[in-house]
Amino acid sequence: MQLNRSTDIALRVLMYVAAKDGRRTIDELADALAVPRHHLAKVVQRLQRLGLLATVRGRGGGVELAPTALRTGVGSVVRKLEPADEVVQCDEPPCPLRGQCKLRAAFRRAHEAFLRSLDEMSLADLVNEGNGPVLLTIGWSPGDPGAR
């Protein structure tokens, strides 16, 4: 299974924001993650609607993790962001094998197993002590004032 680009960006945004204390701006996120600002803003808006990010407008505003976001399972995030499409299409156009084929059911089981394995990991697990220092270096050069 392949995640769509928006889901990939959303997971990276959540990891980046979780690894840094305080608010992050859309411009900072776009630069750090090498994502067009407009696309990133749409992803952040969706994460806010899902209750994973909180946004603050105005001077000193930005994006921060919602209080319960770190406890959220990665599988749950992926389920909310990915379309509920089948891995294989059997109906459009109609496949002549669909009455006897077991491929669709096999892919459904594999897809559910994939999501269940992601359920075992929370967002906090993605930014544990081993990954946090690496995440903190994204988008910063050693001489930048915001580098840690």
Short mmCIF file of all heavy atoms in Angstrom, two decimals, residues 3 12 19-22 30 34 46 66 74 81 84 87 100 108-109 111 113 115 119 123 130 134 143 145:
data_model
loop_
_atom_site.label_atom_id
_atom_site.label_comp_id
_atom_site.label_asym_id
_atom_site.label_seq_id
_atom_site.Cartn_x
_atom_site.Cartn_y
_atom_site.Cartn_z
N LEU A 3 0.79 5.40 0.70
CA LEU A 3 0.04 6.52 1.25
C LEU A 3 0.01 7.66 0.25
O LEU A 3 0.98 7.87 -0.49
CB LEU A 3 0.70 7.01 2.54
CG LEU A 3 0.79 6.02 3.69
CD1 LEU A 3 1.50 6.65 4.87
CD2 LEU A 3 -0.58 5.52 4.10
N ARG A 12 4.48 13.79 8.68
CA ARG A 12 5.74 14.52 8.88
C ARG A 12 5.52 15.81 9.66
O ARG A 12 6.33 16.17 10.52
CB ARG A 12 6.40 14.81 7.53
CG ARG A 12 6.89 13.55 6.84
CD ARG A 12 7.29 13.84 5.40
NE ARG A 12 7.46 12.61 4.66
CZ ARG A 12 8.64 12.04 4.45
NH1 ARG A 12 9.73 12.57 4.96
NH2 ARG A 12 8.72 10.93 3.75
N ALA A 19 8.29 17.25 17.86
CA ALA A 19 9.70 17.25 18.27
C ALA A 19 10.18 18.61 18.75
O ALA A 19 11.18 18.70 19.44
CB ALA A 19 10.58 16.77 17.11
N LYS A 20 9.47 19.65 18.38
CA LYS A 20 9.89 21.01 18.76
C LYS A 20 8.92 21.58 19.78
O LYS A 20 7.72 21.41 19.66
CB LYS A 20 9.91 21.90 17.53
CG LYS A 20 10.98 21.50 16.54
CD LYS A 20 11.20 22.61 15.56
CE LYS A 20 12.57 22.46 14.96
NZ LYS A 20 13.32 23.66 14.96
N ASP A 21 9.42 22.25 20.76
CA ASP A 21 8.57 22.90 21.75
C ASP A 21 8.01 24.19 21.15
O ASP A 21 8.69 24.88 20.39
CB ASP A 21 9.37 23.23 23.01
CG ASP A 21 9.80 21.99 23.75
OD1 ASP A 21 9.08 20.99 23.68
OD2 ASP A 21 10.87 22.03 24.39
N GLY A 22 6.81 24.52 21.51
CA GLY A 22 6.23 25.78 21.07
C GLY A 22 5.56 25.70 19.72
O GLY A 22 5.42 24.63 19.13
N ALA A 30 6.74 24.60 5.99
CA ALA A 30 6.89 24.43 4.55
C ALA A 30 8.37 24.36 4.17
O ALA A 30 8.79 23.51 3.37
CB ALA A 30 6.19 25.55 3.79
N ALA A 34 10.13 20.94 3.01
CA ALA A 34 10.25 21.09 1.56
C ALA A 34 8.93 20.79 0.85
O ALA A 34 8.86 19.98 -0.06
CB ALA A 34 11.39 20.23 1.01
N ARG A 46 -6.60 20.46 7.75
CA ARG A 46 -7.26 19.16 7.94
C ARG A 46 -6.87 18.55 9.29
O ARG A 46 -7.72 18.00 10.00
CB ARG A 46 -6.89 18.23 6.80
CG ARG A 46 -7.70 16.97 6.82
CD ARG A 46 -7.76 16.33 5.48
NE ARG A 46 -8.61 15.16 5.54
CZ ARG A 46 -8.42 14.09 4.84
NH1 ARG A 46 -7.44 14.04 3.97
NH2 ARG A 46 -9.22 13.05 4.96
N ALA A 66 -2.20 19.44 19.45
CA ALA A 66 -3.33 19.42 20.38
C ALA A 66 -2.92 18.59 21.59
O ALA A 66 -2.07 17.69 21.48
CB ALA A 66 -4.55 18.81 19.69
N VAL A 74 -0.98 5.92 15.09
CA VAL A 74 -0.65 6.25 13.71
C VAL A 74 -1.69 5.63 12.76
O VAL A 74 -2.10 6.25 11.78
CB VAL A 74 0.78 5.79 13.35
CG1 VAL A 74 1.10 6.05 11.89
CG2 VAL A 74 1.79 6.50 14.26
N LEU A 81 -7.11 10.03 7.21
CA LEU A 81 -6.58 10.82 6.10
C LEU A 81 -6.67 10.12 4.75
O LEU A 81 -6.71 10.78 3.72
CB LEU A 81 -5.12 11.20 6.38
CG LEU A 81 -4.90 12.12 7.58
CD1 LEU A 81 -3.42 12.28 7.86
CD2 LEU A 81 -5.55 13.47 7.35
N ALA A 84 -11.14 5.62 1.64
CA ALA A 84 -11.52 4.24 1.96
C ALA A 84 -11.58 3.38 0.69
O ALA A 84 -12.33 2.41 0.63
CB ALA A 84 -12.86 4.23 2.68
N VAL A 87 -7.81 -1.50 -2.59
CA VAL A 87 -6.46 -1.56 -3.16
C VAL A 87 -6.54 -1.94 -4.64
O VAL A 87 -5.82 -1.41 -5.47
CB VAL A 87 -5.57 -2.55 -2.38
CG1 VAL A 87 -4.20 -2.69 -3.02
CG2 VAL A 87 -5.44 -2.08 -0.93
N GLN A 100 -15.27 -15.24 -8.80
CA GLN A 100 -14.46 -16.35 -8.31
C GLN A 100 -13.10 -15.92 -7.74
O GLN A 100 -12.39 -16.73 -7.18
CB GLN A 100 -14.21 -17.36 -9.45
CG GLN A 100 -15.47 -17.88 -10.10
CD GLN A 100 -16.37 -18.59 -9.10
OE1 GLN A 100 -15.90 -19.34 -8.26
NE2 GLN A 100 -17.67 -18.32 -9.16
N ARG A 108 -7.75 -6.83 0.98
CA ARG A 108 -8.45 -6.23 2.13
C ARG A 108 -7.81 -6.68 3.44
O ARG A 108 -7.60 -5.87 4.34
CB ARG A 108 -9.93 -6.63 2.12
CG ARG A 108 -10.78 -5.83 1.20
CD ARG A 108 -12.22 -6.25 1.31
NE ARG A 108 -13.05 -5.54 0.36
CZ ARG A 108 -14.21 -5.97 -0.06
NH1 ARG A 108 -14.72 -7.11 0.38
NH2 ARG A 108 -14.90 -5.28 -0.93
N ARG A 109 -7.53 -7.98 3.54
CA ARG A 109 -6.89 -8.50 4.77
C ARG A 109 -5.51 -7.88 4.96
O ARG A 109 -5.12 -7.50 6.07
CB ARG A 109 -6.80 -10.02 4.72
CG ARG A 109 -8.11 -10.73 4.97
CD ARG A 109 -7.93 -12.22 5.19
NE ARG A 109 -7.17 -12.87 4.13
CZ ARG A 109 -7.68 -13.36 3.00
NH1 ARG A 109 -8.98 -13.27 2.77
NH2 ARG A 109 -6.91 -13.94 2.10
N HIS A 111 -4.44 -5.00 3.81
CA HIS A 111 -4.62 -3.59 4.13
C HIS A 111 -4.97 -3.42 5.61
O HIS A 111 -4.41 -2.55 6.31
CB HIS A 111 -5.70 -3.00 3.23
CG HIS A 111 -5.90 -1.54 3.41
ND1 HIS A 111 -7.08 -1.00 3.85
CD2 HIS A 111 -5.06 -0.49 3.22
CE1 HIS A 111 -6.96 0.31 3.92
NE2 HIS A 111 -5.75 0.64 3.55
N ALA A 113 -4.28 -5.52 8.02
CA ALA A 113 -3.09 -5.90 8.80
C ALA A 113 -2.09 -4.74 8.84
O ALA A 113 -1.48 -4.47 9.88
CB ALA A 113 -2.45 -7.15 8.21
N LEU A 115 -2.81 -1.52 8.65
CA LEU A 115 -3.34 -0.50 9.57
C LEU A 115 -3.25 -0.96 11.03
O LEU A 115 -2.93 -0.15 11.92
CB LEU A 115 -4.77 -0.14 9.19
CG LEU A 115 -4.91 0.61 7.86
CD1 LEU A 115 -6.37 0.75 7.47
CD2 LEU A 115 -4.22 1.96 7.91
N ASP A 119 -1.49 0.76 14.25
CA ASP A 119 -2.22 1.03 15.49
C ASP A 119 -1.35 0.79 16.72
O ASP A 119 -1.60 1.36 17.78
CB ASP A 119 -3.46 0.15 15.60
CG ASP A 119 -4.58 0.59 14.67
OD1 ASP A 119 -4.63 1.79 14.31
OD2 ASP A 119 -5.41 -0.27 14.31
N LEU A 123 1.78 8.58 17.98
CA LEU A 123 2.60 9.69 17.49
C LEU A 123 3.80 9.92 18.41
O LEU A 123 4.88 10.26 17.95
CB LEU A 123 1.76 10.95 17.36
CG LEU A 123 0.71 10.93 16.26
CD1 LEU A 123 -0.16 12.19 16.31
CD2 LEU A 123 1.34 10.78 14.89
N GLY A 130 15.13 8.64 20.48
CA GLY A 130 16.03 8.28 19.39
C GLY A 130 15.81 9.09 18.13
O GLY A 130 16.74 9.36 17.38
N VAL A 134 17.10 14.00 15.49
CA VAL A 134 17.15 14.06 14.04
C VAL A 134 16.07 15.00 13.52
O VAL A 134 16.31 15.84 12.65
CB VAL A 134 16.99 12.65 13.41
CG1 VAL A 134 16.87 12.73 11.91
CG2 VAL A 134 18.16 11.77 13.80
N GLY A 143 24.41 27.17 11.50
CA GLY A 143 24.54 28.54 11.97
C GLY A 143 23.23 29.28 12.16
O GLY A 143 23.22 30.43 12.59
N PRO A 145 19.87 30.76 13.72
CA PRO A 145 19.53 31.09 15.11
C PRO A 145 18.47 30.16 15.70
O PRO A 145 18.42 29.98 16.90
CB PRO A 145 19.01 32.54 15.04
CG PRO A 145 18.74 32.80 13.61
CD PRO A 145 19.56 31.83 12.81
#
